[in-house]
Amino acid sequence: MIAFINHTFTQARRKLNLRISVLSWRIVLWLAPILFLLAFFFLPLSKILSFAFNTSALSKANFQLILPTVSFTFYQAGLSTILTFILGIPSAILFSRFNFRGKSLLRALTAVPFMLPTVVVASSFNALLGTHGWLSFLASALLRAGFPLPSEFTTSKTFYFLLILLAHIFYNTTIVIRIVGNALSRLDPKLEGAARSLGADSLRVWRHITLPLLRPSLLAAALLVFMFDFTSFGVILLLGGSNFSTLEVEIYLRVLKLPNLPLAALLSIIQLIFTLIFSILYTRIINQVTTQTAPRFSTSRPPKTIRKRAFVFTFYLLLLTFFLLPLASLPIRSLTRLEADRGQRDEVQYGLTTDYYKELFINRRGSLFYVPPIQAARNSLGYAGITVLLSLALGYPAAYALAKPTRLEKFLDPLIMLPLGASAVMLGLGFILSFGRALASPFFVPIAHTLVALPFVIRTLQPALASIPKRLRQAAATLGASPFRVWQTVDFPILSRTTLSAATFAFTVSLGEFGATLLLTRPEYPTIPIAIQRFLSQPGGLNFGQAMAMATLLMLLTTLAILIIEKLRLPNSGEF
Amino acid sequence: MLEIRNIFKTYDNKPLLRGISFSVSKGETVCLLGASGSGKSTLLRMIAGLEFPESGQFLFNKIDLAQTPPHARDFGLVFQDYGLFPHLNIFDNVAFGLKMRNVPLAKINARVAEMMDLVNLQGFEKRKVTDLSGGEQQRVALARALAPQPRLLMFDEPLGALDKSLKEDLLQELRSILHKTKIPAIYVTHDQDEAFTIADHILLLHDGEIIRDGAPDEVWQNPNSAYAARILGVGNVIEGVVNSANKVKTEYGTFPLNCKHKHSKSEKVSLLLQQSPSPFRRGARGEVEIKLKVEDVLFKRDQFQVKSRGDALSGEALSKGGLVIHLKDAPKVGQMIRVWVKVECLA
């Protein structure tokens, strides 16, 4: 009897020990990521909160400024979303219903902008339509040839607003194509056939069958596009100057240009609340999207009738022009001189040149930098390297813990993802409020980049870690593989791809990060995006040319990274 | 009523249908029987107006349908996996066709109730499509197609996804509904049991052509080709070679050719070998007795299914399948048995 009690006692103790050891193992895993987030996200967040709910922030004057800012942010995001849908819906139909030559290439082309840094997209539109771009060159050439054009339009506020809207469409059309297009091609063609044979003409088929079935995907796409437009910063600042005060731009202005930190804090809290609401709505809707029926075969066909051919041809051409023109005009503009380097009145040497690139390596007195501009590229690479190491070091333990979630992980998961809801500018503001003078150290920039990259890194690693099935390990073991061989043959091949993919992701995020860096960076340590912004904000053809050259470099680096990620993508890893 | 004239259709640049012609008259159920991929479904979709032939005509009451869009054809279509609208409940699914015809609501209600009665789904109106079983969903699909009283009903493998006993029940129901409503119907399937149960007229589709058509009993008794005999499961199809005496040498013996075809020497021919009703009875006219070696015996409720081989040839000349016959008493494996069979030439 005593032996039995003893036995159960030791059993219970063992179980308890086991549970404690499992828990403590989990705590070890979580220690670094949680401390990091506490120090660099939640502490800054609490600082912002305390500033925002200060009496000086909640003044009447502030509210008079907040209301128009919020309403303009909604207005531009709403308008951008509607315009994105006007291009996106026909494109989604084009890709899901028709087969044509060059389809996958065209589809890839429409997806490129989404992965490019905002400074690159802004620079591309500047190169095409901006004051130093191809359009104004063409306009002035026409003017000289005796065709007067309404030149004041291209410098009007409306024109800049149009540029911003175009850049937003350029960025987000791929979301509509993906979400709505996927839903369309997943739609069982039998349903439309059934409706038609029951007496519904094509208009009624759309109204009663197709549209209701697409509703969740349409809503999800609209929310996502709206969310991106709502928090858009680089595009609005770089294309619109400080003409257009959205929440993001206003936060930036209230930190650096017209300092009013309590107001900036209040604005960023408002912004955070809105993005959180949007994300919650989005998560709810996207769950409905995935439960739709899948077809057994492809629903896309070559266009047969003349009307369908005309449709395919028109949108093929439209998409090709709209996506290729800005992307191509940037690198070409970086190699072409269209205007005087420093506003000289004398004759300008038009034509091909590599001067803008050469100039990047020269340390000029009186230039924008104390160092040769190419130093910005070195800084960027250095920051990106640190970001990769830091986000992998923090992301790996978190992803391991999340791969087999317990109650602890279910609680921690949303907290880990919370930085996604905070805008980059807000992160910068939080750092400024929390660390003050310590920001002189250049290490805060890669820390901010890590905050942005970490959710992506975790979301990349976690499914791969979870996807290594126990069975695979057991099968390998029963086939005679030692634990090391198991790791080598089962875990490693999956993990190495994913790790490289996550690393490249972090690298790209860091390279292109604009908002937080703009607030945190020291003048002597510019990154590529910051250098581009500085060049763009200065007069003269040489500065603009160097901005183009820098942006082209960044575009090449990012494209390379995208190609690597695409090559490494696991078949089932998620989208967005 | 419906007349189909010389339809040609290619798919992926390969000919799918090569000159299909047939007609369906009032109250008649025509069954298109063919292997999957033989173009049966495409033909239905073309009749419905959802696809178009390269050439040929569809006429209904002598009127060419080429200019009639699908929604104006008034043909009901029932799909294999039902094609019910997932966002509508059962009532709205069944009412869909009536709503498209702008029928007043009171009439819609009455008609839907009538349809629910007909398919034995009273009280299901408010349920969701996804809450129904396969058989129930198929009934809803049938009710939906019947509700607007179409001029023609088409069934595209409607019972393909259901299990066997459910299939038989639904088939009986469908048969009686079709007889009651007198709507002409085209029924597409690859299952010969279904075809024989439901059809007034069977069309056998092979290689893009109709290789046999006729009433079920005609087709059964005289399949006319090896392919037809095989797909209908009429009997055993065996291969043989014509010898000099205008007889066919097979693994089961040498049989006389009593056919109207012209055969040359050493030509390969297919023969249909059907077992006499009773193994003890002396063969009727044209029947012969063959010797078989038992290979495998399967218990099939009231009799035994015996797989066996002939021994008239040896080695490579042996066909793959062997012969399937049915016996009251189980023989032993390896035992030699004798059976009476009727042999016909299938050309």
Side-chain angles (χ1 to χ4, degrees), chain B residues 6-173:
Chain B
N6 214 18
I7 297 299
F8 281 83
K9 173 82 178 170
T10 57
Y11 187 79
D12 278 348
N13 297 322
K14 277 169 245 153
L16 182 68
L17 298 172
R18 303 184 296 176
I20 300 290
S21 303
F22 65 92
S23 61
V24 188
S25 44
K26 190 174 165 59
E28 187 187 32
T29 304
V30 168
C31 187
L32 261 170
L33 186 61
S36 46
S38 60
K40 306 168 297 207
S41 301
T42 310
L43 186 60
L44 279 200
R45 294 177 56 78
M46 287 193 292
I47 298 171
L50 302 173
E51 276 181 50
F52 300 97
E54 264 90 57
S55 69
Q57 277 181 306
F58 298 104
L59 297 102
F60 198 86
N61 290 338
K62 306 224 158 43
I63 296 162
D64 192 343
L65 292 172
Q67 298 306 317
T68 317
H71 64 269
R73 292 198 180 188
D74 204 4
F75 294 167
L77 185 51
V78 179
F79 298 95
Q80 174 174 9
D81 30 18
Y82 328 124
L84 297 180
F85 305 130
H87 60 298
L88 302 179
N89 66 15
I90 304 306
F91 178 90
D92 288 324
N93 262 284
V94 177
F96 190 88
L98 301 165
K99 282 183 183 161
M100 292 303 118
R101 286 163 177 77
N102 299 319
V103 175
L105 194 65
K107 269 194 183 167
I108 292 182
N109 286 333
R111 181 72 183 154
V112 172
E114 194 187 325
M115 286 301 106
M116 298 312 268
D117 268 359
L118 189 70
V119 298
N120 270 322
L121 285 177
Q122 300 91 334
F124 275 61
E125 285 88 342
K126 291 277 167 281
R127 296 225 202 155
K128 278 206 265 173
V129 168
T130 43
D131 293 344
L132 301 190
S133 71
E136 286 163 347
Q137 290 195 35
Q138 192 50 274
R139 283 161 205 249
V140 175
L142 178 62
R144 184 178 71 177
L146 281 170
Q149 287 167 303
R151 305 189 289 176
L152 173 79
L153 266 174
M154 292 182 281
F155 298 89
D156 188 1
E157 308 233 5
L159 309 176
L162 303 176
D163 64 59
K164 207 179 163 206
S165 64
L166 198 56
K167 217 181 208 177
E168 276 164 21
D169 290 348
L170 266 175
L171 209 54
Q172 293 300 332
E173 261 178 67

Side-chain angles (χ1 to χ4, degrees), chain A residues 362-381:
Chain A
I362 297 167
N363 184 10
R364 277 187 199 280
R365 281 208 306 174
S367 82
L368 293 164
F369 300 91
Y370 310 100
V371 288
I374 198 67
Q375 184 62 39
R378 292 192 199 116
N379 292 338
S380 267
L381 292 176

Side-chain angles (χ1 to χ4, degrees), chain A residues 188-202 204-205 208-210 212-213 293 296 301 304, chain B residues 48-50 70-71 75-77 79 81 83-88 93 96-97 99-102 144-145 148:
Chain A
D188 194 343
K190 221 170 269 138
L191 297 178
E192 293 182 2
R196 278 162 77 189
S197 73
L198 284 166
D201 54 38
S202 22
R204 286 174 119 176
V205 171
H208 293 283
I209 306 299
T210 319
L213 288 172
T293 51
R296 288 173 301 170
R301 305 250 177 287
K304 285 265 169 68
Chain B
L50 302 173
H71 64 269
F75 294 167
L77 185 51
F79 298 95
D81 30 18
L84 297 180
F85 305 130
H87 60 298
L88 302 179
N93 262 284
F96 190 88
K99 282 183 183 161
M100 292 303 118
R101 286 163 177 77
N102 299 319
R144 184 178 71 177

Side-chain angles (χ1 to χ4, degrees), chain A residues 300-504:
Chain A
S300 54
R301 305 250 177 287
K304 285 265 169 68
T305 61
I306 292 173
R307 266 175 63 192
K308 284 176 179 172
R309 275 186 196 180
F311 169 79
V312 168
F313 184 73
T314 311
F315 273 87
Y316 190 104
L317 226 57
L318 189 66
L319 288 177
L320 199 66
T321 318
F322 184 61
F323 283 93
L324 207 55
L325 219 51
L327 291 177
S329 54
L330 170 63
I332 298 171
R333 182 66 182 82
S334 79
L335 290 167
T336 321
R337 180 178 282 116
L338 296 181
E339 56 189 350
D341 281 352
R342 286 184 191 78
Q344 308 97 315
R345 292 252 166 231
D346 51 346
E347 198 54 35
V348 183
Q349 283 285 314
Y350 294 108
L352 288 177
T353 175
T354 52
D355 284 358
Y356 302 140
Y357 288 90
K358 283 185 198 142
E359 198 69 24
L360 294 180
F361 292 90
I362 297 167
N363 184 10
R364 277 187 199 280
R365 281 208 306 174
S367 82
L368 293 164
F369 300 91
Y370 310 100
V371 288
I374 198 67
Q375 184 62 39
R378 292 192 199 116
N379 292 338
S380 267
L381 292 176
Y383 286 149
I386 300 173
T387 306
V388 167
L389 293 179
L390 207 54
S391 55
L392 281 182
L394 297 166
Y396 245 105
Y400 249 111
L402 285 167
K404 279 182 211 123
T406 64
R407 220 179 298 163
L408 179 70
E409 279 72 31
K410 287 206 176 97
F411 167 73
L412 286 175
D413 186 64
L415 292 185
I416 292 274
M417 293 298 140
L418 202 58
L420 272 182
S423 73
V425 179
M426 181 184 180
L427 292 179
L429 171 65
F431 275 36
I432 287 172
L433 297 180
S434 312
F435 307 115
R437 292 237 177 106
L439 287 176
S441 153
F443 285 102
F444 281 94
V445 172
I447 286 176
H449 290 182
T450 305
L451 273 175
V452 181
L454 192 58
F456 294 108
V457 168
I458 292 176
R459 279 290 182 261
T460 311
L461 292 175
Q462 180 194 339
L465 286 169
S467 79
I468 302 174
K470 245 191 206 155
R471 287 237 191 94
L472 222 60
R473 294 203 183 104
Q474 289 167 348
T478 57
L479 289 167
S482 66
F484 174 71
R485 291 281 292 166
V486 170
W487 184 85
Q488 192 190 13
T489 51
V490 177
D491 295 35
F492 181 73
I494 299 177
L495 290 187
S496 58
R497 283 164 66 104
T498 317
T499 308
L500 199 52
S501 169
T504 320

